[in-house]
Amino acid sequence: YSDVAATNLLATGNSFVTPILNTTTSYYAQSSYDFPILNVGPADNNFGSGSIYAGDKHLIFDNYKSSTLKSVLVYADSAGYRTIELRNSSNAVLNDTSVFIPTSPNGFRVNLNFSLPVQNNMQLGISAPNSDLFRTNSGAIFPYTLSDIISITGTDASAGYYYFFYDWEVQQDPCISAIATVDAVINDSDTSYTNITACDSLVWNGTLYTSSGTYTYSTTNSNGCDSIANLNLIINNPST
């Protein structure tokens, strides 16, 4: 980033090559780890008996870490739009999306991208009855838990039932570091000029000079940059 607020992204990756700089410039870096997308809940609807359901039911779950519900798998007996809702424990809608679901006896993956806050007893359901979606009515064994991230704990129906939303894809929010300042320091080279008049000869920077002339000595300064010393030398020879 070019700014400490991290609003102007310059590049991503493990390294960054600056443009040509003439003055010291500050950059701001931040590391981010993206967690993999993981699955929770029954992988499909083949684990128990079930049927198409027209009522309004939901799954109940706890979310332990800020994450995103990327998608779910559903089975529809007819084509049409359904509105899927994320609700809190008080039945208040936190997020929803209306999506066209085709007739899908073999399953259809619905992309949700719902941000999941850290809360208990949240609900994943539909906005209205007559969803025409498949539900399992026996064989569901709760909880369905994904490590320490999320746990599907039940439904608002009798034991054994599982409603509508199979094979959840969940991704924990990325781990982002604090912003670090990285200074690209531009150190200056230096040049000096010296006029010396000497008799017979002169030792300058370890070299013996016996003739008049302009000489140059190159080294590095304390900053590691070029240091150029120029000598204008006049050699006077003694009279005899």
Side-chain angles (χ1 to χ4, degrees), residues 58-61 85-94 119-124:
H58 58 261
L59 293 174
I60 300 170
F61 68 100
E85 294 182 338
L86 172 68
R87 302 185 287 258
N88 65 16
S89 59
S90 300
N91 209 42
V93 175
L94 303 178
Q119 291 184 22
N120 292 330
N121 298 317
M122 287 194 290
Q123 305 170 11
L124 186 67

Side-chain angles (χ1 to χ4, degrees), residues 6-201:
T7 59
N8 185 30
L9 180 65
L10 298 176
T12 61
N14 295 323
S15 62
F16 171 62
V17 178
T18 72
I20 296 174
L21 301 175
N22 296 314
T23 59
T24 295
T25 304
S26 294
Y27 295 96
Y28 304 90
Q30 188 176 57
S31 62
S32 175
Y33 174 76
D34 292 326
F35 291 95
I37 297 174
L38 301 174
N39 299 77
V40 65
D44 52 42
N45 65 349
N46 295 324
F47 63 93
S49 62
S51 61
I52 298 299
Y53 184 69
D56 182 4
K57 295 290 184 181
H58 58 261
L59 293 174
I60 300 170
F61 68 100
D62 299 334
N63 191 58
Y64 309 124
K65 292 185 178 178
S66 295
S67 53
T68 299
L69 178 56
K70 306 289 287 186
S71 71
V72 293
L73 186 66
V74 300
Y75 300 83
D77 196 45
S78 62
Y81 281 90
R82 282 87 168 174
T83 299
I84 299 174
E85 294 182 338
L86 172 68
R87 302 185 287 258
N88 65 16
S89 59
S90 300
N91 209 42
V93 175
L94 303 178
N95 205 341
D96 64 10
T97 184
S98 182
V99 60
F100 181 83
I101 301 175
T103 302
S104 44
N106 296 318
F108 178 79
R109 184 158 294 280
V110 178
N111 294 318
L112 298 176
N113 291 312
F114 287 166
S115 294
L116 302 180
V118 177
Q119 291 184 22
N120 292 330
N121 298 317
M122 287 194 290
Q123 305 170 11
L124 186 67
I126 54 176
S127 64
N130 302 317
S131 64
D132 216 18
L133 297 176
F134 184 91
R135 59 91 189 270
T136 299
N137 55 31
S138 67
I141 301 175
F142 295 96
Y144 296 95
T145 299
L146 176 59
S147 184
D148 57 349
I149 301 174
I150 194 170
S151 181
I152 306 171
T153 59
T155 75
D156 61 336
S158 303
Y161 282 85
Y162 189 95
Y163 280 88
F164 307 146
F165 308 113
Y166 301 83
D167 194 29
W168 295 21
E169 288 186 333
V170 178
Q171 185 176 32
Q172 185 179 336
D173 288 354
C175 181
I176 300 175
S177 73
I179 296 173
T181 302
V182 180
D183 293 323
V185 178
I186 304 301
N187 291 318
D188 295 327
S189 59
D190 58 63
T191 302
S192 63
Y193 298 89
T194 304
N195 297 313
I196 296 179
T197 300
C199 294
D200 294 329
S201 64

Side-chain angles (χ1 to χ4, degrees), residues 207-238:
T207 299
L208 175 66
Y209 297 92
T210 59
S211 301
S212 298
T214 300
Y215 302 99
T216 300
Y217 175 76
S218 298
T219 184
T220 57
N221 59 25
S222 60
N223 293 323
C225 297
D226 291 338
S227 178
I228 309 298
N230 297 282
L231 172 64
N232 183 28
L233 176 62
I234 298 174
I235 296 294
N236 292 324
N237 295 313

